[in-house]
Amino acid sequence: MAFHRHTGPGSYTVGTMSDRFDCHYCRDPLQGKKYVQKEGRHCCVKCFEKFCANTCIECKKPIGADSKELHFKNRYWHDSCFRCFKCSTSLVNEPFMLRENNKVWCSNCTATEDAPRCKGCFKPIIAGDQNVEYKKMVWHKDCFTCSQCKQVIGSGSFFPKGDDFYCVSCHEHKFAKTCAKCKNPITSGGLTYQEQPWHSECFICSNCKKQLGGKRFTAVEDQFYCVDCYKECVAKKCAGCKNPITAGFGRGTSVVNYEDESWHDYCFKCTKCARGLANKRFVCHNGKIYCAECPKRL
């Protein structure tokens, strides 16, 4: 009796019968014929395929006695049917993964299928690909482009706006505020004066050119002056103390004007008795200021 053995779950032996046996199922004599022995029973090849053979999970056909059979977790395949569901590569003697619907996948297709998908081209991003990640989304580096100019942003700076992304240049032209002085976009920082935006470097003293952001200044006919330059170049000189009259700076905020001269309110006083005359009656005598009473005593 010549035979060969199929191992695994439900193993069986195939051989050529030299002794006198009949098929367990159809009772045909097996002497001189190929037969199959399974679970202590002898049967002809035809009955084996009809009653005993495992069914290939891929093609749904019986796995005959002459076929090579592969099995995994109580599932059976013809060796010719044991192929990657995705790329059809034979997986005999190759690593594989059993996935949904009893489909087998090669390791390469498994890695590709499980890889994250690019938000731009929707293709998988596999290990080694350069990519950009933002808020749990991922792109191939070359797929991460500006929504306006369509140029690749890649790993460069960008500005998100809803579902769109803009490169620095497009964001400046489309969304950034415009400086009241130079009319160029304000991309970062800046300040606001009288509801108008300014670059910090544009909001400067008209005389010394120092930046005025966060500092005291005075505006005169659309020109801005720091405290020192206003005192030196713009402010009127008090006819009393001869110092600059800087309304809003230092002591006092009121100014007294008479004819072509000006005074600090606290400097406008009677020449003789030194009484303060701001908002009071006064007399000008020989170019000097007096209260209403003192000229009578001269």
Side-chain angles (χ1 to χ4, degrees), residues 7-21:
T7 60
S11 60
Y12 58 90
T13 301
V14 180
T16 302
M17 180 62 69
S18 58
D19 298 328
R20 181 173 179 80
F21 282 99

Side-chain angles (χ1 to χ4, degrees), residues 175-243:
F175 298 105
K177 294 180 180 179
T178 302
C179 176
K181 182 176 182 181
C182 70
K183 308 306 180 185
N184 290 322
I186 301 173
T187 57
S188 63
L191 52 87
T192 301
Y193 175 68
Q194 292 187 344
E195 299 183 355
Q196 289 187 311
W198 299 71
H199 289 114
S200 296
E201 59 271 23
C202 290
F203 195 70
I204 57 176
C205 174
S206 297
N207 186 57
C208 69
K209 308 306 179 186
K210 291 180 180 178
Q211 293 187 22
L212 297 175
K215 299 178 181 179
R216 299 171 69 194
F217 66 92
T218 296
V220 180
E221 296 180 354
D222 296 329
Q223 298 295 313
F224 305 108
Y225 296 91
C226 64
V227 173
D228 292 338
C229 289
Y230 179 78
K231 291 179 179 179
E232 183 69 26
C233 306
V234 182
K236 295 178 179 181
K237 300 299 188 288
C238 175
C241 69
K242 309 304 180 186
N243 290 321

Side-chain angles (χ1 to χ4, degrees), residues 39-284:
E39 298 175 351
R41 298 170 181 173
H42 301 83
C43 63
C44 64
V45 171
K46 184 176 181 181
C47 286
F48 171 80
E49 293 183 357
K50 184 176 181 180
F51 299 109
C52 303
N54 294 314
T55 300
C56 175
I57 200 168
E58 184 64 28
C59 70
K60 312 303 181 185
K61 295 179 180 178
I63 303 174
D66 294 328
S67 300
K68 290 184 179 180
E69 179 184 272
L70 298 173
H71 62 88
F72 179 72
K73 292 185 176 181
N74 294 321
R75 297 168 178 83
Y76 301 89
W77 292 264
H78 294 101
D79 64 339
S80 59
C81 292
F82 196 63
R83 295 178 174 276
C84 175
F85 171 72
K86 197 75 173 177
C87 68
S88 299
T89 299
S90 174
L91 296 177
V92 178
N93 298 322
E94 297 292 337
F96 66 91
M97 178 71 71
L98 183 66
R99 296 173 67 94
E100 59 274 7
N101 300 321
N102 291 318
K103 300 298 183 181
V104 287
W105 294 57
C106 67
S107 54
N108 287 338
C109 289
T110 298
T112 300
E113 184 70 14
D114 294 340
R117 296 278 167 172
C118 172
K119 195 80 167 62
C121 68
F122 305 107
K123 294 180 180 178
I125 298 175
I126 59 176
D129 285 349
Q130 289 186 312
N131 61 79
V132 177
E133 293 186 32
Y134 177 74
K135 289 188 175 180
K136 297 182 179 181
M137 296 181 289
V138 62
W139 293 259
H140 292 108
K141 185 177 179 181
D142 290 342
C143 293
F144 190 59
T145 59
C146 173
S147 299
Q148 183 76 15
C149 67
K150 309 305 179 185
Q151 295 297 308
V152 174
I153 297 174
S155 56
S157 298
F158 66 92
F159 292 88
K161 286 286 185 180
D163 294 330
D164 296 324
F165 299 89
Y166 296 90
C167 64
V168 174
S169 178
C170 289
H171 183 267
E172 287 179 0
H173 288 92
K174 191 174 181 66
F175 298 105
K177 294 180 180 179
T178 302
C179 176
K181 182 176 182 181
C182 70
K183 308 306 180 185
N184 290 322
I186 301 173
T187 57
S188 63
L191 52 87
T192 301
Y193 175 68
Q194 292 187 344
E195 299 183 355
Q196 289 187 311
W198 299 71
H199 289 114
S200 296
E201 59 271 23
C202 290
F203 195 70
I204 57 176
C205 174
S206 297
N207 186 57
C208 69
K209 308 306 179 186
K210 291 180 180 178
Q211 293 187 22
L212 297 175
K215 299 178 181 179
R216 299 171 69 194
F217 66 92
T218 296
V220 180
E221 296 180 354
D222 296 329
Q223 298 295 313
F224 305 108
Y225 296 91
C226 64
V227 173
D228 292 338
C229 289
Y230 179 78
K231 291 179 179 179
E232 183 69 26
C233 306
V234 182
K236 295 178 179 181
K237 300 299 188 288
C238 175
C241 69
K242 309 304 180 186
N243 290 321
I245 301 173
T246 53
F249 300 128
R251 176 186 170 195
T253 58
S254 298
V255 180
V256 177
N257 296 302
Y258 177 67
E259 294 186 346
D260 293 329
E261 293 185 302
S262 299
W263 290 260
H264 296 107
D265 60 346
Y266 52 83
C267 291
F268 192 66
K269 53 192 176 182
C270 177
T271 304
K272 185 172 180 60
C273 68
R275 182 189 302 171
L277 298 176
N279 299 316
K280 296 180 181 179
R281 292 179 61 194
F282 66 91
V283 176
C284 183

